[in-house]
Amino acid sequence: MADEAVNSVVGKVLDLLFGVAKREIGYIWNSRENVEKFKNEVEKLKVLRGRVQQLIDVAEHNGDTLSYGLQDWMDKVDDEILKAENFLDQEANAKKTCINWSTLYHYGKMATHKVPSFVEHIEGGKSFESCVSVPTSKPGFLEFYERKDFRGINTQKSTLNSIIEAFKDENMQIIGIYGAGGVGKTTLAHEAAATVKNLFDDMVYIVVSENVDVENIKDMVNVAAKRVQEKDKILIILDDVRKEVNLSALGIPCGAEHMNCKILLTSRSKNVCEAMNTHSNICVKSLPEEEAWILFKRVVGEKVDASEKLKQIAIEAVDGCGGLPLIIQVVGNVLKKQRINLWEVTLAQLNNNVPSIVPLEMRGSFTHLKLSYDLLDSEEAKLCFLLCSMFPEREFIPLERLAHYCVGLGKLNRLRSMEDARKRVGIAVDNLKSFSLFLNGKDKFTTKMHDVVREVAHIIASEGKNIFLVEAGTGLSEWIPRKNDPNDYTGISLMQNNLCKLPDYVLHFPLLEILLIQENCKLSNITDEFIEAIKEVKVLDMEHNNLSSLPKSVKQLIKLRMLNLGGNSSLQEISILGELGELEILILNDTNIHEIPREIGKLDNLRTLEVKRCTSLSHIAPGVISNLRWLEELCIGYYQVQKENYNSLSELCNLSKLINLNLFVTDYDLIPQGVQFGKLEEFVIKIGNNDENIVFPWELKSKHLLILAKFSLNITFLPHIEALIKVSDCILMHSVSNLNDILPSVYYEASHELKTIALLECCSDSYLVDTKYWDELFGTGKIQERFFSRLEHLKLSSLKLISALWKCPDAYISLSKLVTLDIGDCPKLVRLFSVSVAQGLVNLKNLSISKCHCLEEVIWTGDADTGSGEIDIAIPDADIVFPRLTHITFSDLSKLKRFYSGYSSIKYTSLVEVSIVHCPIMEIWGYGVHDTPKLKFLGNVPLDGTLAINDAVIALSKVETL
């Protein structure tokens, strides 16, 4: 019995030993197979990593937030791939030098053991491949909204509070606010949204108006609707709803299962709100006399109390405003600009007869708005006012387009240049805003009209010399004017409709000067009969239609001065345009033209020629550019050019009037030699694979700009455009390889003049500036002026190797003019500023740092080698003051411990908002005293009063928001 037990044990031991031996010997015999299997897994992981990186690029381009854990996976994968490649290199070299049993055993065993780890990484990556990001809202509609002062305006304050309470009520989903045009519905909607923005993960604002564009609205709410499904809290504002609309048909989630989606409607009609099943209807009432007077005095100022008689006149004027804030502000701004002794005369004009075509409910608004228009002391302002009424309701109107139309109409007397036109249009728009006739746009380059003001503008136009037909954005599918209809229009606007064709019968518009038919994407041809009807036209905008050719009859438009054919992607042949000798502005962007033919050289009156993103353009006929002797602005993308062919861009040297050049070329050798770029008032040069619409990190005030986009460069690059670098204020480099080879010369030659530097996805060395070899490159003692001394904006994104901003004595660095610092996805960056450099950040306003997973602190004491992390609080460091810093944003900084590691008094005299997201080990802001007298928001949490941060008062407790 004992023998059997022993034999059994011995048998098992022998089996185990033989199994082990077999496995160990297998590492030798199957070494090549094992290594090959491992190599295949490495390739699979590299391919997967590449696919995920493509998805990340798209997500980051859309501004989305990457999924939690994705960056860790990418970092681990990069590390594993690097180790694997080193292992495979060693294995290959070992086979070349010495093959023995020991070598085969070692690499066969190692390869076998590594495979499961790579399989695990592949499985983990597959989950990210299906979901790399969480949609993040873009800069919202509140970005340019200015908060309103409701002190003393209790009617609106009460209404605002009702809206806010409705937002907070979990049982209310659809909320309606209604009231007369100009009573302040949109303002209250914005104000309420701004007040409760911390309650929602995203907000969407949509103007609906008369013509409901279902597809456009569905596009606008698409991302938000997905976030509703993911249980995020979303607010959707539908402004100016004129008739009942089906929310589900618009793609807006509603109903009991989607109570996390709040919907706010504004309408002039309570019936519309009720028809859309609102849970609460809030009436926005006109202001009573006392509150109307408070608002009026707030606009006009104390001079209204100069005399009792004057005050009485003003009170009567305010009474005539019907309690509408829009009209009160218009009248107030009118009188504010008038001398007091003229008030009585000015207000007497309000009693003028109102045209019979003005609807009864609009008569009060009309008289006051018409008065504002009549008192405009600039004909250019009046022209811009009427031109803007030709755009669709609530449209953001580009000032650039207004300038083009004004130049084309020839209404800017003694015009010196296109830049002069822009300045004069800008002044006119500011004037109109000061009268409350125009509203702020989405940025300083756009404006818009209140719908009530737009309606009045149409009436004003109809009774004057400018008679307009405006059917912009009304969903018009056909336009069939009768021969006997009035033909005295000076302007016709049919833009943003669904027109398929234009009239093909005899018509006559003898006074027509401006025709706007852009954005009718189905409109594919223009008939000869229609050209005959509009042959007096001066401005013709046909952008983003579907034209593939131009009729020969186009040459009859001999008075045409502004022509926009951009966005007609099938249009190729443009020779006929050479007959339009009066043209001053010609826009051909995004067309399919292959060449700029010699006939275009006959347009010797051209001021502006735009030929951007025409990807088939490969030839400019010799002599064309030289003949455009009055050309001030040239915007052109030069594609598919054979280097050995004649480069027509060299003719730019002959254009004495050229002041603005926007040039894209595929190779730096195509940049014309001999052009005096420094004498241009503005230039944008793009070199690279494609002419992308690069979103600049900041609004650039500089006149000179150099962009190197998606291009591989080497050291031979510099001699070709060294002169260009020296006259540039801004350098943006995107996906540039071996950046470390060119930065020394760039910084040495031009850094003292640079105002903006942006480095995006560049394969860089470890530092922006490393002076280690500068003495041998440029000579001992050549570094005289401190680096970055004029730099205002710095953006660093996806610089995988950068470990510090510079490697040189701090005495060489000056950031005294830096306004904006934006750093993202620099995984090896450990810290930013020493105390001495931080003390010089006197103009810094915005600091944003994200996805820097090794960053431990922002400001450090200057001793990088101690590594202890201990703070000696007995010896305070020098005081630091940030006089202009207003916003700080930290996100996805997994190793950030604190803002400052030292012990000092830091004053943030202008700091308004601090946001800290996904900084899990940050427990304190810093030691010492951190004084923030104006801080209003920590994360999205509003604060009351001031806050002083002493030692560790701000304890984060590892939460995601401060």
Side-chain angles (χ1 to χ4, degrees), residues 667-669 671 673 677 687 706 708 711-728 731 733 736-751 754 774 777-778:
D667 194 287
Y668 52 79
D669 285 334
I671 295 176
Q673 303 296 311
F677 290 101
I687 310 169
L706 169 65
L708 309 173
F711 204 73
S712 296
L713 301 172
N714 53 50
I715 195 64
T716 60
F717 157 81
L718 275 177
H720 289 274
I721 60 169
E722 182 178 357
L724 189 57
I725 292 174
K726 289 181 179 180
V727 295
S728 297
I731 293 183
M733 298 186 181
V736 177
S737 64
N738 57 319
L739 187 58
N740 53 309
D741 288 335
I742 63 174
L743 267 181
S745 292
V746 170
Y747 280 108
Y748 180 73
E749 297 291 349
S751 68
L754 288 174
W774 278 51
L777 282 172
F778 306 114

Side-chain angles (χ1 to χ4, degrees), residues 301-508:
E302 294 302 321
K303 67 179 181 179
V304 72
D305 292 322
S307 73
E308 195 59 37
K309 180 182 178 182
L310 185 67
K311 184 176 180 179
Q312 190 58 42
I313 293 171
I315 289 174
E316 292 177 7
V318 175
D319 288 344
C321 294
L324 299 177
L326 171 67
I327 308 304
I328 294 169
Q329 291 178 78
V330 168
V331 172
N333 280 307
V334 167
L335 295 181
K336 184 171 67 173
K337 298 176 183 302
Q338 298 293 314
R339 294 197 303 272
I340 291 177
N341 60 343
L342 295 179
W343 275 27
E344 189 170 8
V345 175
T346 300
L347 292 171
Q349 296 180 39
L350 290 173
N351 297 320
N352 290 345
N353 293 329
V354 180
S356 58
I357 62 172
V358 179
L360 183 62
E361 67 275 11
M362 280 190 62
R363 296 203 164 198
S365 300
F366 174 83
T367 55
H368 293 81
L369 293 171
K370 178 64 162 57
L371 172 64
S372 298
Y373 174 81
D374 289 339
L375 290 175
L376 289 170
D377 56 6
S378 163
E379 291 301 317
E380 292 167 4
K382 290 183 176 181
L383 174 63
C384 289
F385 178 77
L386 297 177
L387 286 176
C388 282
S389 74
M390 302 182 74
F391 286 81
E393 289 182 342
R394 304 291 183 94
E395 179 85 353
F396 288 117
I397 302 163
L399 272 58
E400 179 79 355
R401 192 59 55 90
L402 285 181
H404 285 171
Y405 293 168
C406 288
V407 171
L409 290 170
K411 298 293 178 70
L412 300 178
N413 295 327
R414 298 177 182 175
L415 182 65
R416 294 189 297 274
S417 65
M418 287 300 300
E419 191 57 36
D420 180 35
R422 292 187 184 92
K423 289 178 181 177
R424 288 161 69 172
V425 166
I427 292 170
V429 168
D430 287 343
N431 193 9
L432 289 159
K433 286 181 181 178
S434 72
F435 275 83
S436 297
L437 293 174
F438 276 8
L439 303 172
N440 290 330
K442 60 183 177 181
D443 50 40
K444 75 172 200 173
F445 304 108
T446 60
T447 188
K448 67 176 181 178
M449 270 183 151
H450 193 284
D451 51 341
V452 173
V453 177
R454 180 175 179 268
E455 291 169 17
V456 170
H458 289 163
I459 298 171
I460 292 173
S462 68
E463 64 172 2
K465 295 180 180 179
N466 296 295
I467 301 176
F468 293 163
L469 169 64
V470 180
E471 293 286 351
T474 60
L476 200 66
S477 58
E478 61 179 13
W479 180 52
I480 310 176
R482 296 172 63 88
K483 295 180 182 180
N484 296 325
D485 284 347
N487 61 0
D488 54 350
Y489 297 120
T490 58
I492 295 176
S493 176
L494 306 172
M495 70 170 83
Q496 293 186 22
N497 281 306
N498 301 311
L499 297 178
C500 298
K501 64 179 182 177
L502 294 171
D504 56 359
Y505 48 87
V506 176
L507 291 167
H508 188 41

Side-chain angles (χ1 to χ4, degrees), residues 595-657:
E595 69 166 350
I596 300 179
R598 57 182 178 80
E599 288 84 356
I600 298 301
K602 296 161 62 177
L603 302 177
D604 53 6
N605 275 316
L606 271 187
R607 293 176 180 267
T608 296
L609 176 60
E610 294 187 12
V611 198
K612 295 186 291 186
R613 298 179 301 278
C614 299
T615 55
S616 298
L617 180 62
S618 60
H619 179 64
I620 303 174
V624 169
I625 292 180
S626 295
N627 288 341
L628 304 178
R629 60 179 182 272
W630 289 105
L631 197 66
E632 301 170 24
E633 303 175 336
L634 176 62
C635 304
I636 187 169
Y638 208 18
Y639 296 79
Q640 305 178 23
V641 183
Q642 299 297 320
K643 293 182 182 179
E644 62 272 12
N645 290 350
Y646 174 70
N647 184 358
S648 297
L649 295 176
S650 62
E651 297 177 19
L652 291 173
C653 300
N654 301 325
L655 300 181
S656 61
K657 302 292 184 181

